mmCIF file of all heavy atoms in Angstrom:
data_model
loop_
_atom_site.group_PDB
_atom_site.id
_atom_site.type_symbol
_atom_site.label_atom_id
_atom_site.label_comp_id
_atom_site.label_asym_id
_atom_site.label_seq_id
_atom_site.Cartn_x
_atom_site.Cartn_y
_atom_site.Cartn_z
ATOM 1 N N LEU A 19 0.791 -1.253 -0.005
ATOM 2 C CA LEU A 19 -0.019 -0.062 -0.028
ATOM 3 C C LEU A 19 0.797 1.264 0.021
ATOM 4 O O LEU A 19 0.458 2.255 -0.630
ATOM 5 C CB LEU A 19 -1.016 -0.026 1.209
ATOM 6 C CG LEU A 19 -2.084 -1.046 1.031
ATOM 7 C CD1 LEU A 19 -2.984 -1.099 2.195
ATOM 8 C CD2 LEU A 19 -2.902 -0.914 -0.191
ATOM 9 N N PRO A 20 2.083 1.320 0.679
ATOM 10 C CA PRO A 20 2.776 2.557 0.566
ATOM 11 C C PRO A 20 3.483 2.674 -0.779
ATOM 12 O O PRO A 20 4.140 3.715 -1.079
ATOM 13 C CB PRO A 20 3.835 2.373 1.752
ATOM 14 C CG PRO A 20 3.356 1.248 2.467
ATOM 15 C CD PRO A 20 2.491 0.492 1.686
ATOM 16 N N ASP A 21 3.351 1.667 -1.656
ATOM 17 C CA ASP A 21 3.969 1.703 -3.026
ATOM 18 C C ASP A 21 5.433 1.894 -3.023
ATOM 19 O O ASP A 21 5.972 2.557 -3.795
ATOM 20 C CB ASP A 21 3.318 2.783 -3.881
ATOM 21 C CG ASP A 21 3.613 2.585 -5.291
ATOM 22 O OD1 ASP A 21 3.709 1.449 -5.658
ATOM 23 O OD2 ASP A 21 3.645 3.569 -6.130
ATOM 24 N N ARG A 22 6.129 1.208 -2.086
ATOM 25 C CA ARG A 22 7.522 1.307 -1.952
ATOM 26 C C ARG A 22 8.300 0.441 -3.106
ATOM 27 O O ARG A 22 9.460 0.668 -3.274
ATOM 28 C CB ARG A 22 7.985 0.795 -0.598
ATOM 29 C CG ARG A 22 7.462 1.710 0.548
ATOM 30 C CD ARG A 22 8.276 1.318 1.744
ATOM 31 N NE ARG A 22 7.828 2.188 2.938
ATOM 32 C CZ ARG A 22 8.085 3.278 3.273
ATOM 33 N NH1 ARG A 22 8.908 4.066 2.355
ATOM 34 N NH2 ARG A 22 7.609 4.005 4.212
ATOM 35 N N ARG A 23 7.524 -0.487 -3.537
ATOM 36 C CA ARG A 23 8.137 -1.457 -4.510
ATOM 37 C C ARG A 23 9.446 -2.096 -4.066
ATOM 38 O O ARG A 23 10.286 -2.361 -4.864
ATOM 39 C CB ARG A 23 8.361 -0.640 -5.865
ATOM 40 C CG ARG A 23 7.063 -0.171 -6.411
ATOM 41 C CD ARG A 23 7.297 0.704 -7.671
ATOM 42 N NE ARG A 23 6.040 1.413 -7.967
ATOM 43 C CZ ARG A 23 5.446 1.402 -9.121
ATOM 44 N NH1 ARG A 23 5.949 0.640 -10.086
ATOM 45 N NH2 ARG A 23 4.320 1.967 -9.321
ATOM 46 N N LEU A 24 9.382 -2.471 -2.788
ATOM 47 C CA LEU A 24 10.446 -3.138 -2.196
ATOM 48 C C LEU A 24 9.888 -4.374 -1.434
ATOM 49 O O LEU A 24 8.723 -4.227 -0.980
ATOM 50 C CB LEU A 24 11.204 -2.215 -1.172
ATOM 51 C CG LEU A 24 11.868 -1.047 -1.849
ATOM 52 C CD1 LEU A 24 12.322 -0.056 -0.723
ATOM 53 C CD2 LEU A 24 13.168 -1.471 -2.558
ATOM 54 N N PRO A 25 10.548 -5.356 -1.199
ATOM 55 C CA PRO A 25 10.035 -6.530 -0.538
ATOM 56 C C PRO A 25 9.929 -6.240 0.966
ATOM 57 O O PRO A 25 10.641 -5.526 1.562
ATOM 58 C CB PRO A 25 11.131 -7.678 -0.643
ATOM 59 C CG PRO A 25 12.284 -6.926 -0.904
ATOM 60 C CD PRO A 25 11.883 -5.683 -1.708
ATOM 61 N N GLY A 26 8.842 -6.813 1.546
ATOM 62 C CA GLY A 26 8.583 -6.821 2.968
ATOM 63 C C GLY A 26 9.236 -8.022 3.493
ATOM 64 O O GLY A 26 9.438 -9.089 2.847
ATOM 65 N N VAL A 27 9.681 -7.991 4.800
ATOM 66 C CA VAL A 27 10.352 -9.061 5.427
ATOM 67 C C VAL A 27 9.752 -9.346 6.728
ATOM 68 O O VAL A 27 9.425 -8.462 7.615
ATOM 69 C CB VAL A 27 11.869 -8.664 5.630
ATOM 70 C CG1 VAL A 27 12.609 -9.857 6.384
ATOM 71 C CG2 VAL A 27 12.517 -8.425 4.350
ATOM 72 N N VAL A 28 9.481 -10.632 6.928
ATOM 73 C CA VAL A 28 8.964 -11.066 8.326
ATOM 74 C C VAL A 28 10.127 -11.942 8.899
ATOM 75 O O VAL A 28 10.502 -12.913 8.398
ATOM 76 C CB VAL A 28 7.742 -11.917 8.243
ATOM 77 C CG1 VAL A 28 7.231 -12.440 9.547
ATOM 78 C CG2 VAL A 28 6.540 -11.187 7.549
ATOM 79 N N PHE A 29 10.725 -11.357 9.994
ATOM 80 C CA PHE A 29 11.760 -12.171 10.706
ATOM 81 C C PHE A 29 11.081 -12.994 11.745
ATOM 82 O O PHE A 29 10.464 -12.511 12.805
ATOM 83 C CB PHE A 29 12.668 -11.112 11.442
ATOM 84 C CG PHE A 29 13.527 -10.282 10.497
ATOM 85 C CD1 PHE A 29 13.248 -9.136 10.058
ATOM 86 C CD2 PHE A 29 14.778 -10.909 10.073
ATOM 87 C CE1 PHE A 29 14.126 -8.327 9.268
ATOM 88 C CE2 PHE A 29 15.663 -10.218 9.319
ATOM 89 C CZ PHE A 29 15.306 -8.954 8.919
ATOM 90 N N VAL A 30 11.131 -14.263 11.506
ATOM 91 C CA VAL A 30 10.540 -15.295 12.484
ATOM 92 C C VAL A 30 11.590 -15.666 13.455
ATOM 93 O O VAL A 30 12.748 -16.029 13.025
ATOM 94 C CB VAL A 30 9.968 -16.389 11.732
ATOM 95 C CG1 VAL A 30 9.390 -17.431 12.745
ATOM 96 C CG2 VAL A 30 8.814 -16.047 10.785
ATOM 97 N N GLY A 31 11.357 -15.643 14.750
ATOM 98 C CA GLY A 31 12.308 -15.986 15.711
ATOM 99 C C GLY A 31 13.052 -14.762 16.371
ATOM 100 O O GLY A 31 14.115 -14.782 16.898
ATOM 101 N N VAL A 32 12.382 -13.593 16.066
ATOM 102 C CA VAL A 32 12.954 -12.347 16.588
ATOM 103 C C VAL A 32 11.888 -11.638 17.499
ATOM 104 O O VAL A 32 10.741 -11.556 17.110
ATOM 105 C CB VAL A 32 13.304 -11.328 15.394
ATOM 106 C CG1 VAL A 32 13.762 -10.005 15.850
ATOM 107 C CG2 VAL A 32 14.352 -12.041 14.545
ATOM 108 N N ARG A 33 12.333 -11.232 18.629
ATOM 109 C CA ARG A 33 11.440 -10.465 19.610
ATOM 110 C C ARG A 33 11.178 -9.104 19.051
ATOM 111 O O ARG A 33 11.907 -8.583 18.181
ATOM 112 C CB ARG A 33 12.113 -10.371 21.010
ATOM 113 C CG ARG A 33 12.251 -11.809 21.692
ATOM 114 C CD ARG A 33 12.862 -11.509 23.083
ATOM 115 N NE ARG A 33 13.136 -12.887 23.639
ATOM 116 C CZ ARG A 33 14.338 -13.483 23.664
ATOM 117 N NH1 ARG A 33 15.315 -12.915 23.067
ATOM 118 N NH2 ARG A 33 14.526 -14.609 24.229
ATOM 119 N N ASP A 34 10.165 -8.419 19.698
ATOM 120 C CA ASP A 34 9.858 -7.039 19.380
ATOM 121 C C ASP A 34 10.936 -6.069 19.454
ATOM 122 O O ASP A 34 11.055 -5.070 18.797
ATOM 123 C CB ASP A 34 8.636 -6.606 20.071
ATOM 124 C CG ASP A 34 7.324 -7.209 19.568
ATOM 125 O OD1 ASP A 34 7.283 -7.752 18.503
ATOM 126 O OD2 ASP A 34 6.326 -7.176 20.401
ATOM 127 N N ASP A 35 11.944 -6.423 20.399
ATOM 128 C CA ASP A 35 13.086 -5.489 20.506
ATOM 129 C C ASP A 35 14.252 -5.780 19.580
ATOM 130 O O ASP A 35 15.310 -5.222 19.605
ATOM 131 C CB ASP A 35 13.589 -5.476 21.981
ATOM 132 C CG ASP A 35 14.203 -6.941 22.507
ATOM 133 O OD1 ASP A 35 14.245 -7.783 21.614
ATOM 134 O OD2 ASP A 35 14.524 -6.887 23.601
ATOM 135 N N GLY A 36 14.029 -6.714 18.697
ATOM 136 C CA GLY A 36 14.971 -7.091 17.644
ATOM 137 C C GLY A 36 16.039 -8.124 18.083
ATOM 138 O O GLY A 36 16.919 -8.392 17.254
ATOM 139 N N THR A 37 15.856 -8.661 19.276
ATOM 140 C CA THR A 37 16.864 -9.745 19.722
ATOM 141 C C THR A 37 16.364 -11.101 19.421
ATOM 142 O O THR A 37 15.104 -11.293 19.129
ATOM 143 C CB THR A 37 16.995 -9.678 21.312
ATOM 144 O OG1 THR A 37 15.731 -9.914 21.837
ATOM 145 C CG2 THR A 37 17.543 -8.340 21.627
ATOM 146 N N CYS A 38 17.267 -12.059 19.309
ATOM 147 C CA CYS A 38 16.924 -13.413 18.907
ATOM 148 C C CYS A 38 16.119 -14.135 20.023
ATOM 149 O O CYS A 38 16.346 -13.939 21.229
ATOM 150 C CB CYS A 38 18.258 -14.196 18.779
ATOM 151 S SG CYS A 38 17.950 -15.902 18.316
ATOM 152 N N ALA A 39 15.039 -14.740 19.589
ATOM 153 C CA ALA A 39 14.099 -15.463 20.510
ATOM 154 C C ALA A 39 14.558 -16.864 20.786
ATOM 155 O O ALA A 39 13.859 -17.623 21.644
ATOM 156 C CB ALA A 39 12.645 -15.503 19.975
ATOM 157 N N GLY A 40 15.512 -17.420 20.122
ATOM 158 C CA GLY A 40 15.939 -18.819 20.349
ATOM 159 C C GLY A 40 15.050 -19.784 19.731
ATOM 160 O O GLY A 40 15.146 -20.915 20.158
ATOM 161 N N LEU A 41 14.289 -19.412 18.814
ATOM 162 C CA LEU A 41 13.322 -20.444 18.157
ATOM 163 C C LEU A 41 14.052 -21.369 17.231
ATOM 164 O O LEU A 41 15.009 -20.996 16.528
ATOM 165 C CB LEU A 41 12.324 -19.554 17.305
ATOM 166 C CG LEU A 41 11.324 -20.389 16.503
ATOM 167 C CD1 LEU A 41 10.319 -21.010 17.455
ATOM 168 C CD2 LEU A 41 10.617 -19.477 15.486
ATOM 169 N N ASN A 42 13.649 -22.636 17.463
ATOM 170 C CA ASN A 42 14.389 -23.664 16.584
ATOM 171 C C ASN A 42 13.790 -23.642 15.149
ATOM 172 O O ASN A 42 12.555 -23.906 14.990
ATOM 173 C CB ASN A 42 14.080 -25.014 17.220
ATOM 174 C CG ASN A 42 14.738 -26.145 16.415
ATOM 175 O OD1 ASN A 42 15.722 -25.973 15.778
ATOM 176 N ND2 ASN A 42 14.237 -27.396 16.500
ATOM 177 N N VAL A 43 14.512 -23.170 14.219
ATOM 178 C CA VAL A 43 14.071 -22.949 12.871
ATOM 179 C C VAL A 43 14.503 -24.252 12.073
ATOM 180 O O VAL A 43 15.613 -24.380 11.614
ATOM 181 C CB VAL A 43 14.544 -21.689 12.179
ATOM 182 C CG1 VAL A 43 14.160 -21.636 10.768
ATOM 183 C CG2 VAL A 43 14.225 -20.476 13.049
ATOM 184 N N ASP A 44 13.575 -25.205 12.098
ATOM 185 C CA ASP A 44 13.932 -26.528 11.404
ATOM 186 C C ASP A 44 13.158 -26.625 10.080
ATOM 187 O O ASP A 44 12.469 -25.747 9.727
ATOM 188 C CB ASP A 44 13.642 -27.714 12.365
ATOM 189 C CG ASP A 44 12.256 -27.688 12.826
ATOM 190 O OD1 ASP A 44 11.434 -27.008 12.318
ATOM 191 O OD2 ASP A 44 11.969 -28.513 13.813
ATOM 192 N N ASP A 45 13.444 -27.717 9.416
ATOM 193 C CA ASP A 45 12.671 -27.946 8.096
ATOM 194 C C ASP A 45 11.207 -27.931 8.301
ATOM 195 O O ASP A 45 10.564 -27.456 7.415
ATOM 196 C CB ASP A 45 13.271 -29.251 7.489
ATOM 197 C CG ASP A 45 14.646 -29.125 6.886
ATOM 198 O OD1 ASP A 45 15.139 -27.926 6.765
ATOM 199 O OD2 ASP A 45 15.316 -30.239 6.808
ATOM 200 N N ALA A 46 10.747 -28.540 9.362
ATOM 201 C CA ALA A 46 9.307 -28.545 9.545
ATOM 202 C C ALA A 46 8.682 -27.220 9.597
ATOM 203 O O ALA A 46 7.630 -26.797 9.064
ATOM 204 C CB ALA A 46 8.928 -29.383 10.843
ATOM 205 N N LEU A 47 9.346 -26.313 10.343
ATOM 206 C CA LEU A 47 8.908 -24.877 10.533
ATOM 207 C C LEU A 47 8.989 -24.172 9.209
ATOM 208 O O LEU A 47 7.997 -23.472 8.742
ATOM 209 C CB LEU A 47 9.733 -24.127 11.594
ATOM 210 C CG LEU A 47 9.432 -22.548 11.668
ATOM 211 C CD1 LEU A 47 7.890 -22.354 12.145
ATOM 212 C CD2 LEU A 47 10.341 -21.951 12.665
ATOM 213 N N LEU A 48 10.059 -24.378 8.472
ATOM 214 C CA LEU A 48 10.107 -23.756 7.116
ATOM 215 C C LEU A 48 9.050 -24.205 6.103
ATOM 216 O O LEU A 48 8.519 -23.435 5.424
ATOM 217 C CB LEU A 48 11.593 -24.004 6.544
ATOM 218 C CG LEU A 48 12.718 -23.366 7.235
ATOM 219 C CD1 LEU A 48 14.033 -23.968 6.627
ATOM 220 C CD2 LEU A 48 12.722 -21.944 7.248
ATOM 221 N N ARG A 49 8.696 -25.499 6.167
ATOM 222 C CA ARG A 49 7.631 -26.019 5.328
ATOM 223 C C ARG A 49 6.324 -25.449 5.703
ATOM 224 O O ARG A 49 5.564 -25.021 4.953
ATOM 225 C CB ARG A 49 7.671 -27.578 5.412
ATOM 226 C CG ARG A 49 8.659 -28.245 4.587
ATOM 227 C CD ARG A 49 8.310 -29.750 4.454
ATOM 228 N NE ARG A 49 8.297 -30.434 5.805
ATOM 229 C CZ ARG A 49 9.453 -30.968 6.438
ATOM 230 N NH1 ARG A 49 10.617 -30.867 5.880
ATOM 231 N NH2 ARG A 49 9.275 -31.575 7.546
ATOM 232 N N ARG A 50 6.084 -25.226 7.134
ATOM 233 C CA ARG A 50 4.804 -24.670 7.663
ATOM 234 C C ARG A 50 4.759 -23.214 7.089
ATOM 235 O O ARG A 50 3.671 -22.850 6.671
ATOM 236 C CB ARG A 50 4.841 -24.803 9.029
ATOM 237 C CG ARG A 50 3.549 -24.272 9.681
ATOM 238 C CD ARG A 50 3.528 -24.559 11.157
ATOM 239 N NE ARG A 50 2.355 -23.917 11.728
ATOM 240 C CZ ARG A 50 2.351 -23.425 12.942
ATOM 241 N NH1 ARG A 50 3.337 -23.529 13.740
ATOM 242 N NH2 ARG A 50 1.196 -22.979 13.385
ATOM 243 N N LEU A 51 5.804 -22.497 7.198
ATOM 244 C CA LEU A 51 5.729 -21.151 6.765
ATOM 245 C C LEU A 51 5.572 -20.983 5.282
ATOM 246 O O LEU A 51 4.637 -20.222 4.780
ATOM 247 C CB LEU A 51 7.135 -20.363 7.120
ATOM 248 C CG LEU A 51 7.344 -20.169 8.672
ATOM 249 C CD1 LEU A 51 8.690 -19.681 8.844
ATOM 250 C CD2 LEU A 51 6.283 -19.255 9.280
ATOM 251 N N ALA A 52 6.268 -21.869 4.517
ATOM 252 C CA ALA A 52 6.043 -21.796 3.052
ATOM 253 C C ALA A 52 4.551 -22.254 2.673
ATOM 254 O O ALA A 52 4.016 -21.694 1.747
ATOM 255 C CB ALA A 52 7.008 -22.779 2.350
ATOM 256 N N GLY A 53 4.007 -23.165 3.438
ATOM 257 C CA GLY A 53 2.594 -23.527 3.183
ATOM 258 C C GLY A 53 1.532 -22.491 3.392
ATOM 259 O O GLY A 53 0.512 -22.591 2.953
ATOM 260 N N LEU A 54 1.899 -21.418 4.228
ATOM 261 C CA LEU A 54 0.950 -20.407 4.429
ATOM 262 C C LEU A 54 0.481 -19.775 3.088
ATOM 263 O O LEU A 54 -0.692 -19.324 2.944
ATOM 264 C CB LEU A 54 1.529 -19.353 5.243
ATOM 265 C CG LEU A 54 1.802 -19.676 6.741
ATOM 266 C CD1 LEU A 54 2.515 -18.564 7.429
ATOM 267 C CD2 LEU A 54 0.477 -19.892 7.528
ATOM 268 N N ARG A 55 1.345 -19.698 2.097
ATOM 269 C CA ARG A 55 1.071 -19.177 0.767
ATOM 270 C C ARG A 55 -0.005 -19.954 0.072
ATOM 271 O O ARG A 55 -0.811 -19.347 -0.688
ATOM 272 C CB ARG A 55 2.397 -18.991 -0.024
ATOM 273 C CG ARG A 55 2.118 -18.608 -1.384
ATOM 274 C CD ARG A 55 3.541 -18.501 -2.078
ATOM 275 N NE ARG A 55 3.348 -17.965 -3.378
ATOM 276 C CZ ARG A 55 3.085 -18.597 -4.457
ATOM 277 N NH1 ARG A 55 2.828 -19.893 -4.510
ATOM 278 N NH2 ARG A 55 3.126 -18.022 -5.707
ATOM 279 N N ASP A 56 0.128 -21.335 0.202
ATOM 280 C CA ASP A 56 -0.799 -22.167 -0.496
ATOM 281 C C ASP A 56 -2.097 -22.454 0.055
ATOM 282 O O ASP A 56 -2.853 -23.227 -0.435
ATOM 283 C CB ASP A 56 -0.017 -23.401 -0.867
ATOM 284 C CG ASP A 56 1.158 -23.218 -1.602
ATOM 285 O OD1 ASP A 56 1.206 -22.256 -2.452
ATOM 286 O OD2 ASP A 56 2.222 -23.868 -1.381
ATOM 287 N N GLU A 57 -2.394 -21.886 1.342
ATOM 288 C CA GLU A 57 -3.632 -22.232 1.982
ATOM 289 C C GLU A 57 -4.852 -21.444 1.348
ATOM 290 O O GLU A 57 -6.006 -21.713 1.727
ATOM 291 C CB GLU A 57 -3.514 -21.893 3.510
ATOM 292 C CG GLU A 57 -2.607 -22.733 4.240
ATOM 293 C CD GLU A 57 -2.343 -22.404 5.649
ATOM 294 O OE1 GLU A 57 -2.894 -21.342 6.028
ATOM 295 O OE2 GLU A 57 -1.756 -23.117 6.383
#
């Protein structure tokens, strides 16, 4: 909507203050995230 013509980024495993949350980013999580597009 702001017409930036730049990609948006969702950092998964990052707290609101920008620090690492220690989330285990494994293949199952990556597949789950990729699957959001196809739902």
Side-chain angles (χ1 to χ4, degrees):
L19 294 177
D21 197 29
R22 295 196 184 277
R23 299 173 191 237
L24 296 167
V27 178
V28 179
F29 289 96
V30 176
V32 176
R33 293 184 186 96
D34 285 341
D35 65 1
T37 61
C38 179
L41 180 66
N42 180 28
V43 180
D44 57 12
D45 289 340
L47 177 59
L48 295 173
R49 283 191 302 272
R50 183 173 175 211
L51 293 171
L54 291 175
R55 178 182 184 271
D56 300 327
E57 292 176 355

